[in-house]
Amino acid sequence: MERGLNTRCLHLEETEGKTEHYGALSYPIYQTATYAHPGAGKSTGYDYSRLQNPTREHLEKTVASLEGGIDAFALSTGMAAITLLMEIFEPGDHMIAEADLYGGSIRFFDNVSKKNHYEFTYLNCSKDDIEGAIKGNTKAIYIETPTNPMMNVSDIAAISRIAKKHNLLLIVDNTFLSPYFQNPLKLGADIVIHSGTKFLGGHNDTLAGFIVTNSDEIKEKLRFLIKTTGAGLSPFDSWLILRGMKTLGIRMEKSQENAIRIANWLKEQHIVKKVYYPGLPEHPGYEIIKRQARGFGSMITFDVDTKEHAWKIIESVRMIKFAESLGGVETLITYPTTQTHADVPDEVRIQNGITPCTLRLSIGIEDIEDLLAELSYVFHLPE
Ligand SMILES: *Cc1c(COP(=O)(O)O)cnc(C)c1O
């Protein structure tokens, strides 16, 4: 029987019953660049830390186990993971990508991948005709669900059937729900991307990124590429993410519990025009996310009535921080128009529904009473 996710965050079965590393419970940080060889033509299994490092490897195996992949790759940031992944494609390849992806992914595709002669078609993958956009040179479909920041939910299994029928790779950025709530590989995806900076690390203190796959062929390509390009995660940062992941489950549960309360509270505020949270039964993706995931996460986007109210909220928060990023223990609020999605072309941003009245919350694990007290205060300041 496969062990539960909380257990898998803590224990790798292959190390059990052994007392290597003096029995240290916390996996050691192998802060070394290189490794001495026992003899000519011999290796300890590690040669140089750009290729592999024991601490990074322990982390990669843990993340692979959580996602149900055969292997994972730990990179210095989420964007480094996406950059590395793009190297498995060739100039002239076409990709169908979700229009409401993380803004940095769109910036990368439009400014770097296109320069390398990759083509993109952006769609709302929760409702547009994906199959109709497939061309002779299409190689992959790249989605996020829920999307950032509009929280659109796409049906991973349905999209994976389209991908398989046309021999395309399905890539899913699973940052928002983390492997604790959603496992795209089990729903037919070929590759999962994570910004480990977010829920996996969970403490707003470390940058990291992951690629996870269940394909031997992709795994071999990526092992070659990570050693050749060199953005593997450092031993210390690998340890910080391992340390953060030990509490992934309880953090995900607690922040989601807070998020459900806050989403319902937001709905009752007269200055709030719309709440985008897939855990609300009226959300158009509610049934799909219930079917394909074990939770709704703790990201909430909402529109207020005026830009002035949006600005007042971000300028008045005190305990809640006005900061980019998400998925950490502290609650953050962001303004997608000028922060995370500033480099998305205006017309795309507006079409996706991101307006100057849109705010995004990443709910942390503070006491709900304190979060609601702070929100009540900033929502009811005198005009
Ligand atoms: C933050 C983020 C990224 C990029 O990750 P970094 O660690 O910041 O480089 C990619 N995808 C999503 C969904 C993100 O939220």
Side-chain angles (χ1 to χ4, degrees):
M1 193 191 79
E2 191 179 47
R3 288 180 172 180
L5 283 156
N6 286 304
T7 308
R8 280 184 275 150
C9 283
L10 301 167
H11 303 287
L12 266 187
E13 282 183 65
E14 63 187 64
T15 64
E16 285 172 23
K18 299 182 186 158
T19 45
E20 289 160 357
H21 317 293
Y22 307 101
L25 277 196
S26 163
Y27 198 88
I29 304 169
Y30 279 89
Q31 192 64 44
T32 185
T34 192
Y35 306 81
H37 300 305
K42 293 189 183 139
S43 165
T44 59
Y46 300 92
D47 302 314
Y48 188 60
S49 280
R50 171 154 38 75
L51 282 58
Q52 192 51 297
N53 172 285
T55 316
R56 192 176 94 204
E57 188 169 45
H58 193 79
L59 170 64
E60 289 177 344
K61 286 181 173 163
T62 304
V63 172
S65 147
L66 293 179
E67 280 291 12
I70 55 171
D71 207 357
F73 300 81
L75 284 301
S76 57
T77 65
M79 287 319 301
I82 296 169
T83 303
L84 186 80
L85 178 62
M86 285 300 122
E87 292 297 331
I88 71 172
F89 298 101
E90 299 290 332
D93 284 356
H94 171 251
M95 192 176 285
I96 294 168
E98 165 61 53
D100 190 38
L101 287 183
Y102 171 69
S105 306
I106 300 214
R107 178 174 57 215
F108 180 75
F109 293 163
D110 286 352
N111 295 286
V112 181
S113 303
K114 282 188 184 166
K115 187 186 70 181
N116 295 332
H117 305 286
Y118 293 2
E119 285 177 43
F120 294 88
T121 300
Y122 294 110
L123 297 180
N124 177 334
C125 293
S126 70
K127 59 174 204 260
D128 292 347
D129 173 18
I130 295 177
E131 203 155 12
I134 296 173
K135 308 195 285 184
N137 57 343
T138 307
K139 293 290 156 59
I141 305 172
Y142 190 116
I143 64 170
E144 241 174 72
T145 177
T147 62
N148 183 1
M150 298 317 291
M151 310 304 291
N152 298 324
V153 174
S154 301
D155 186 331
I156 300 173
I159 297 175
S160 105
R161 284 192 290 275
I162 299 174
K164 289 203 164 54
K165 180 168 154 203
H166 295 272
N167 214 6
L168 314 177
L169 293 176
L170 176 59
I171 304 161
V172 182
D173 184 329
N174 199 30
T175 300
F176 265 34
L177 288 186
S178 91
Y180 185 74
F181 281 145
Q182 180 167 272
N183 296 123
L185 298 177
K186 295 185 177 167
L187 297 162
D190 304 285
I191 295 162
V192 164
I193 290 280
H194 279 285
S195 169
T197 313
K198 314 296 168 52
F199 290 101
L200 290 171
H203 291 75
N204 289 322
D205 59 8
T206 314
L207 298 170
F210 294 93
I211 309 173
V212 195
T213 185
N214 52 12
S215 146
D216 277 313
E217 193 191 330
I218 295 166
K219 164 187 157 168
E220 292 310 321
K221 281 187 188 168
L222 290 171
R223 275 287 154 224
F224 172 80
L225 286 167
I226 199 171
K227 114 174 152 191
T228 304
T229 57
L233 193 61
S234 75
F236 183 58
D237 287 353
S238 297
W239 182 85
L240 280 168
I241 302 291
L242 275 168
R243 155 90 178 218
M245 276 175 28
K246 291 187 182 195
T247 53
L248 177 68
I250 55 173
R251 285 188 286 105
M252 294 303 295
E253 297 286 358
K254 173 70 181 165
S255 60
Q256 167 172 269
E257 186 188 309
N258 283 347
I260 292 170
R261 289 279 300 274
I262 291 170
N264 282 298
W265 180 88
L266 284 169
K267 273 183 9 183
E268 276 153 25
Q269 307 311 306
H270 71 277
I271 64 166
V272 174
K273 292 292 147 203
K274 190 151 187 203
V275 180
Y276 306 86
Y277 179 66
L280 294 174
E282 63 268 30
H283 186 283
Y286 181 73
E287 291 302 329
I288 298 171
I289 197 170
K290 267 204 345 194
R291 198 165 64 228
Q292 71 186 10
R294 294 174 290 273
F296 310 110
S298 45
M299 299 300 300
I300 306 172
T301 298
F302 62 99
D303 292 333
V304 290
D305 51 356
T306 63
K307 179 181 163 188
E308 287 65 37
H309 274 139
W311 283 52
K312 188 172 233 171
I313 291 169
I314 54 187
E315 282 176 353
S316 328
V317 285
R318 298 169 65 83
M319 177 185 79
I320 296 173
K321 299 297 182 250
F322 172 41
E324 277 168 86
S325 204
L326 60 106
V329 286
E330 295 94 359
T331 297
L332 307 182
I333 190 161
T334 50
Y335 191 54
T337 297
T338 60
Q339 290 185 303
T340 49
H341 291 68
D343 289 330
V344 175
D346 287 349
E347 64 282 4
V348 177
R349 200 170 56 232
I350 301 293
Q351 201 183 343
N352 289 346
I354 304 174
T355 76
C357 301
T358 306
L359 292 166
R360 190 192 75 187
L361 279 166
S362 169
I363 305 298
I365 63 166
E366 296 91 346
D367 289 302
I368 186 67
E369 295 76 17
D370 296 323
L371 288 172
L372 289 175
E374 167 116 345
L375 288 170
S376 299
Y377 166 74
V378 299
F379 272 66
H380 296 111
L381 287 169
E383 296 291 327

